[in-house]
Amino acid sequence: MKESGPISTFEAWILAARPRTIPASVAPVAVGTAAAYHDGALAVLPALAALAVSMLLQVGVNLANDYFDYAGGIDSPDRLGPTRVTQSGLIEPGRVKAGMACVFCLAALMGLYLVFVGGVPILLAGIASIAAALAYSGGPYPLASHGLGDLFVFIFFGLVAVGGTYYVQALSLTPMALLVAVPPGLLITAILVVNNLRDIHTDRRSGKRTLAVILGAGGSRAEYAILLAAAYAAVLLIWILGPYGLWVLLPFISCIMAFRTLRIVLKESGRVLNEALAKTAGLALVFSLLFSLGIVLSA
């Protein structure tokens, strides 16, 4: 997707949706579904609906960030990340806001089927997910501006996404289903860490106190390294404690990807980190797919 020169309205909306972030919504659903399959509870339609809802919520969060960061004066012309359509004038703020509302409504409509399948727990999880998506960068106390974005991502793109996907198929939630949510949650959080490390100077100037701003560049790089190491350590722990065989260690094949991406994050700053951002998203997806395959092969 080109981000300079004249672009069509369709291209602008694709740009606003930020398709490179979609792996963050696919990874946890794959892991949750694999865990359900291992436990003899695979249900294809709920799994597909969970995937659709997860992807819609990801797009909704992207549109919300685009709109609310513009409205809050956080985005500026010297932004280092991908073009924001509201700040750049590609799409009018009102239309971005309306698009955000439409996407969340679609997610809610798709979620009605999951509520029918899973009942009140899924209803509460869905309401909390949409509320948190809006509160991430909007509302009176934006989570991202108060150092809580990383925790939000781990909880909702890790524990809730994996646990919810498992629940709508098994209609119960086991401790192991939550434990397998930890590795993808950690890696998806690492995507945000790279994003905030890249934007640390512009966020600081705008008053947006992300965890990267609070920890500083060195602290953020350390956080990134810890998240990656913890994801692999969690897989090892799951193999030791869980009902899975050696296949569950398949994610270690992705170590070379992790080392290469870590090297970029530790050495580079600014716009170069856009490459690390894409590589981290790719790592999260590859890791999670290998993890899912390992769980399935252990059945």
Side-chain angles (χ1 to χ4, degrees):
M1 174 62 63
K2 57 188 176 183
E3 296 183 9
S4 61
I7 67 174
S8 68
T9 300
F10 176 77
E11 288 175 317
W13 279 109
I14 294 297
L15 189 61
R18 297 179 64 189
R20 287 187 176 183
T21 65
I22 296 301
S25 62
V26 175
V29 176
V31 173
T33 299
Y37 174 86
H38 177 275
D39 294 348
L42 176 67
V44 175
L45 286 180
L48 291 175
L51 177 61
V53 170
S54 182
M55 293 173 70
L56 285 168
L57 287 176
Q58 177 66 62
V59 173
V61 168
N62 292 339
L63 292 175
N65 291 346
D66 200 303
Y67 172 76
F68 286 120
D69 280 355
Y70 168 80
I74 292 171
D75 281 344
S76 61
D78 59 350
R79 172 178 165 78
L80 300 176
T83 301
R84 289 284 182 88
V85 298
T86 315
Q87 184 275 325
S88 64
L90 291 173
I91 305 177
E92 295 178 357
R95 295 180 65 196
V96 176
K97 186 178 182 180
M100 171 189 70
C102 287
V103 170
F104 282 133
C105 285
L106 283 174
L109 287 174
M110 290 292 297
L112 288 178
Y113 168 69
L114 296 178
V115 172
F116 174 76
V117 172
V120 174
I122 297 302
L123 174 62
L124 296 177
I127 292 173
S129 296
I130 293 178
L134 291 170
Y136 179 80
S137 54
Y141 193 84
L143 299 175
S145 297
H146 294 85
L148 297 174
D150 302 52
L151 179 61
F152 154 82
V153 168
F154 175 74
I155 291 174
F156 285 94
F157 284 91
L159 302 182
V160 173
V162 175
T165 300
Y166 181 92
Y167 188 90
V168 295
Q169 298 177 72
L171 301 181
S172 63
L173 193 60
T174 66
M176 186 53 60
L178 288 177
L179 188 55
V180 298
V182 171
L186 292 171
L187 291 179
I188 293 169
T189 304
I191 299 173
L192 178 65
V193 173
V194 180
N195 182 83
N196 291 343
L197 176 61
R198 180 200 62 208
D199 296 339
I200 191 169
H201 298 299
T202 54
D203 284 344
R204 183 180 288 120
R205 285 198 298 270
S206 68
K208 183 177 181 180
R209 287 179 53 79
T210 62
L211 189 58
V213 170
I214 295 171
L215 296 177
S220 293
R221 291 187 172 97
E223 181 193 2
Y224 183 86
I226 290 170
L227 288 171
L228 264 57
Y232 289 96
V235 169
L236 188 59
L237 180 63
I238 288 167
W239 172 61
I240 294 171
L241 299 179
Y244 310 121
L246 277 171
W247 287 111
V248 82
L249 299 180
L250 277 175
F252 280 89
I253 295 175
S254 65
C255 276
I256 186 65
M257 294 178 64
F259 283 123
R260 288 173 176 172
T261 308
L262 178 61
R263 185 166 54 192
I264 298 173
V265 173
L266 294 180
K267 291 184 177 181
E268 304 293 346
S269 60
R271 205 177 299 275
V272 179
L273 290 176
N274 285 327
E275 177 188 358
L277 186 66
K279 288 181 178 296
T280 305
L283 171 64
L285 181 59
V286 171
F287 179 106
S288 297
L289 292 179
L290 289 170
F291 190 35
S292 302
L293 179 60
I295 293 173
V296 168
L297 292 176
S298 297

